[in-house]
Amino acid sequence: MAILPVLKAPHPRLTKVSRPVAQFDRALEELAENMLETMYAANGIGLAAPQVDVHLRVVVMDLHQEDEPPAPQILVNPEVLQASAETATMSEGCLSLPEAYEEVERPARVTVRYQDLDGVTHTRECTGLEAVCWQHEIDHLDGVLFVDHLNRLKRDRIIQRLVKEKRLARRTRDGAVRPAA
Ligand code: NI
């Protein structure tokens, strides 16, 4: 198992569309295990493969309550089959957008389909946080971030802050390797 680096916005590879998984093999299991470890290490509740620079339709999630045991979920080729006309608004965050939290409006209920690590297909209905998480993670597989659902002004403000932070981090790193005069 390994903790993988998480791509941070704005990064061009976060906007790429991921391709479906065709092979249910040991490599897929390993990817899912590493994604779960990465998600837990970052205190996340969901992570999509493109966030760790693997452009395959794989998502991991764990929505257990703090007083419950861990409940890891591995979703291969997940898709939304049906979405309710009724919407709900919830505050969202993302491991690829550090420290950005904004209210996003999405369908309140979704019917979803996915495959497990053995390639077996499952269908279920989700509401509440689960419905939000499914939609947020499936968006990643299509190169969409939650800020893309916000108005332009809010989105740009968040992205500009991240650009500035990246620039600052780079400068600090460069400064550290420069020999003292
Ligand atoms: Ni995310």
Side-chain angles (χ1 to χ4, degrees), residues 4-7 14 31 35 38 47-54:
L4 309 169
V6 176
L7 298 182
L14 284 171
L31 170 66
M35 284 173 62
T38 303
L47 184 72
Q51 292 181 274
V52 292
D53 210 10
V54 176

Side-chain angles (χ1 to χ4, degrees), residues 19-165:
R19 59 181 197 283
V21 171
Q23 272 174 304
F24 293 79
D25 53 11
R26 179 67 202 134
L28 178 65
E29 264 170 52
E30 224 164 89
L31 170 66
E33 282 168 15
N34 288 339
M35 284 173 62
L36 277 169
E37 192 176 357
T38 303
M39 179 188 79
Y40 286 129
N43 284 319
I45 58 172
L47 184 72
Q51 292 181 274
V52 292
D53 210 10
V54 176
H55 290 81
L56 282 174
R57 302 189 81 85
V58 180
V59 162
V60 295
M61 242 181 239
D62 188 336
L63 303 174
H64 78 276
Q65 301 288 317
E66 259 177 61
D67 53 351
E68 290 173 359
Q73 299 184 65
I74 296 162
L75 316 169
V76 182
N77 298 326
E79 56 185 322
V80 173
L81 296 180
Q82 252 182 342
S84 64
E86 185 200 331
T87 61
T89 301
M90 216 182 262
S91 175
E92 295 188 28
C94 180
L95 296 179
S96 294
L97 293 147
E99 275 149 64
Y101 299 91
E102 290 289 340
E103 305 256 294
V104 180
E105 186 183 4
R106 297 180 185 271
R109 283 184 313 280
V110 287
T111 306
V112 293
R113 181 166 63 193
Y114 69 100
Q115 285 168 285
D116 60 27
L117 284 178
D118 298 317
V120 178
T121 301
H122 305 265
T123 305
R124 58 199 267 201
E125 243 187 277
C126 308
T127 57
L129 178 61
E130 202 182 14
V132 171
C133 207
W134 272 84
Q135 294 176 78
H136 176 121
E137 300 307 334
I138 291 173
D139 269 356
H140 275 301
L141 304 181
D142 293 321
V144 175
L145 301 174
F146 84 81
V147 289
D148 297 328
H149 293 285
L150 306 176
N151 70 46
R152 184 81 182 264
L153 190 72
K154 274 191 184 172
R155 182 189 181 280
D156 288 353
R157 205 187 302 137
I158 291 170
I159 297 296
Q160 286 316 314
R161 176 177 60 78
L162 292 170
V163 169
K164 249 185 238 160
E165 279 171 14

